[in-house]
Amino acid sequence: MIKFLDLYKINNRFRDAFQASFSKSLDDAHFILGNNVSTFENEFAAYCGTEFCVGTANGLDALTLILKGYVQLGKLQKGDKVIVPANTFIATILSVLHAELVPVLVEPNPDTYTISVDTDKALFREAKAVIMVHLYGQLADVGGFHKIAQDFNLLLIEDAAQAHGATSNLNNRKAGNLSDAAAFSFYPTKNLGALGDGGGVTTNDSELVDVIKLLRNYGSEEKYTNKVIGFNSRLDDMQAAFLSIKLKALDRDNKRRREIANAYLKGIKNSKFKLPFYDGSENHIFYAFVVEVDDRTNFTEFLNKNKIEWLIHYPIPPHQQEALNEFSHFKLPLTEKIHKRIISLPMSPVMTEHDIQTVIDVLNTY
Ligand SMILES: *Cc1c(COP(=O)(O)O)cnc(C)c1O
């Protein structure tokens, strides 16, 4: 069986360091917002090239707290429109709803699958913010959206939950430092994943940082003094310690993922698949290696028979989910078509050469 993502193998590489940091935390007994959180926040900000990082409980909260933070600061108002890609994980859209803002769903670029710059300009004119999702680990059109944000006076936000370490060809900056504020998830399957839930915001905006630090901790700076209506959304201290350990391996792991992607792109020679667009640079960290195929059900059966695990990111677009039926009127044929045709192949830094070759060989015999 070729695993889609072998979480045991990925994390077992760090077993001794994890156990040492667990023992230390047990000894220190400072479990909430301890030193591990501030240490990781500083390390991750330095890694991304931003001035600040604020740890949160998960990626959805990181997005939501950015938007709530802007509302608190008066930069966004309840009911303002926020442009979001229709082709994304549902969290992007939920964050807008949780902040009492109005998501406007738009189509992706058919090759990169990230939010298209060729969106109707009238939509940008009516909006107050736009969220670029660096989907599957590939940066959205950063240059294009910097211009759009400037032209239409929009707040630009990154959903970088799948893009830790992806680096722009334009300015050599990393995901997290390509907008006004960025949200990360450290969910275990992400390229930088904890051993439980975790998230974070990166930004150079000190006002926003102050508000998010309040919002994540009951609106409180000082214990039992509550300045705003807050949440409980702190990054867990133990998870922060694990993330500091794994951060050191992130660049190496991302490089390995790119090597695997290059091997797939070179090795898979079968016109039944549309392979992903990749410009060969570090702007992609291959959180997922996504191919398109006509008869997906038939292909998944073929993969099952050949003992290759697969996933679909994602099988049903957000606007067709029962939870979001208020958006079912959106006409998004490209998003709907992509969701019917895509499938993700095994991809992780712990795949062996034999695993990689087997995937290539099996696809070439389909
Ligand atoms: C994983 C993910 C999120 C949400 O992260 P959680 O930590 O699961 O809350 C948001 N957006 C995208 C694109 C993601 O892949």
Side-chain angles (χ1 to χ4, degrees):
M1 174 66 79
I2 296 184
K3 291 252 190 201
F4 183 78
L5 181 80
D6 190 336
L7 279 182
Y8 172 79
K9 212 167 153 186
I10 285 176
N11 288 308
N12 197 44
R13 301 177 296 167
F14 310 102
R15 176 179 292 263
D16 293 345
F18 287 160
Q19 285 180 336
S21 71
F22 171 69
S23 284
K24 186 167 185 309
S25 288
L26 206 52
D27 290 342
D28 294 347
H30 191 165
F31 300 116
I32 302 295
L33 293 181
N35 287 336
N36 289 319
V37 171
S38 50
T39 300
F40 174 70
E41 286 172 341
N42 290 334
E43 289 170 355
F44 195 63
Y47 177 83
C48 295
T50 55
E51 261 182 85
F52 310 104
C53 169
V54 187
T56 60
N58 54 63
L60 171 60
D61 284 4
L63 280 166
T64 307
L65 293 187
I66 290 171
L67 294 167
K68 287 256 189 196
Y70 281 133
V71 171
Q72 196 76 45
L73 290 170
K75 292 193 176 175
L76 290 175
Q77 249 114 60
K78 190 175 164 181
D80 280 350
K81 290 181 174 166
V82 180
I83 307 282
V84 289
N87 182 45
T88 182
F89 180 55
I90 195 167
T92 321
I93 295 160
L94 294 181
S95 70
V96 179
L97 294 170
H98 288 315
E100 297 180 281
L101 302 163
V102 177
V104 178
L105 277 50
V106 304
E107 293 273 43
N109 173 311
D111 294 318
T112 61
Y113 306 122
T114 60
I115 183 169
S116 174
V117 284
D118 297 324
T119 299
D120 182 358
K121 296 293 178 281
L123 296 179
F124 292 130
R125 214 165 285 125
E126 289 172 4
K128 288 289 185 314
V130 55
I131 305 181
M132 326 184 255
V133 182
H134 304 313
L135 197 70
Y136 308 144
Q138 185 171 40
L139 294 182
D141 184 342
V142 171
F145 276 95
H146 280 180
K147 184 162 186 334
I148 285 167
Q150 211 162 33
D151 291 351
F152 298 95
N153 197 23
L154 300 169
L155 287 167
L156 184 59
I157 297 162
E158 290 163 84
D159 179 342
Q162 303 184 356
H164 324 71
T167 307
S168 171
N169 310 321
L170 286 181
N171 51 18
N172 219 32
R173 289 196 195 171
K174 287 201 174 79
N177 190 22
L178 297 166
S179 64
D180 295 304
F184 287 89
S185 164
F186 306 118
Y187 184 81
T189 64
K190 310 284 164 142
N191 288 35
L192 179 60
L195 307 186
D197 276 309
V201 173
T202 57
T203 182
N204 296 311
D205 180 343
S206 63
E207 272 192 314
L208 183 67
V209 164
D210 290 344
V211 174
I212 292 177
K213 281 192 169 169
L214 288 177
L215 287 173
R216 76 169 174 184
N217 190 31
Y218 290 111
S220 168
E221 221 163 17
E222 199 185 315
K223 205 165 178 141
Y224 307 133
T225 306
N226 309 95
K227 290 190 177 165
V228 296
I229 298 175
F231 299 83
N232 178 354
S233 181
R234 302 170 292 227
L235 175 61
D236 181 72
D237 203 69
M238 194 70 261
Q239 297 306 330
F242 297 149
L243 288 166
S244 284
I245 292 165
K246 290 184 79 176
L247 179 60
K248 295 186 184 77
L250 178 60
D251 283 343
R252 198 183 345 129
D253 281 358
N254 284 343
K255 183 164 169 271
R256 180 65 185 146
R257 285 173 182 265
R258 282 191 286 267
E259 283 167 10
I260 296 166
N262 276 322
Y264 281 168
L265 289 167
K266 214 169 117 206
I268 299 169
K269 292 196 174 72
N270 184 337
S271 58
K272 292 197 185 77
F273 303 109
K274 182 186 172 196
L275 298 178
F277 170 80
Y278 175 43
D279 70 5
S281 77
E282 293 184 8
N283 79 351
H284 204 331
I285 58 160
F286 287 97
Y287 170 68
F289 189 96
V290 175
V291 303
E292 283 186 49
V293 63
D294 284 336
D295 185 359
R296 185 168 66 187
T297 307
N298 193 46
F299 179 54
T300 56
E301 282 164 13
F302 174 79
L303 288 177
N304 292 345
K305 239 179 276 152
N306 284 282
K307 300 195 165 42
I308 293 177
E309 288 185 349
W310 50 272
L311 273 180
I312 297 170
H313 296 93
Y314 300 89
I316 305 169
H319 70 282
Q320 293 184 326
Q321 298 285 357
E322 190 183 340
L324 298 186
N325 61 21
E326 63 184 292
F327 299 98
S328 58
H329 65 278
F330 273 92
K331 293 213 166 30
L332 299 157
L334 184 55
T335 295
E336 288 165 21
K337 182 175 156 209
I338 289 169
H339 276 73
K340 286 199 186 90
R341 291 170 49 80
I342 49 169
I343 178 159
S344 306
L345 301 181
M347 170 57 77
S348 81
V350 295
M351 288 180 80
T352 64
E353 292 304 321
H354 180 260
D355 293 339
I356 299 163
Q357 196 56 50
T358 305
V359 172
I360 292 169
D361 291 344
V362 167
L363 263 75
N364 284 340
T365 57
Y366 177 62

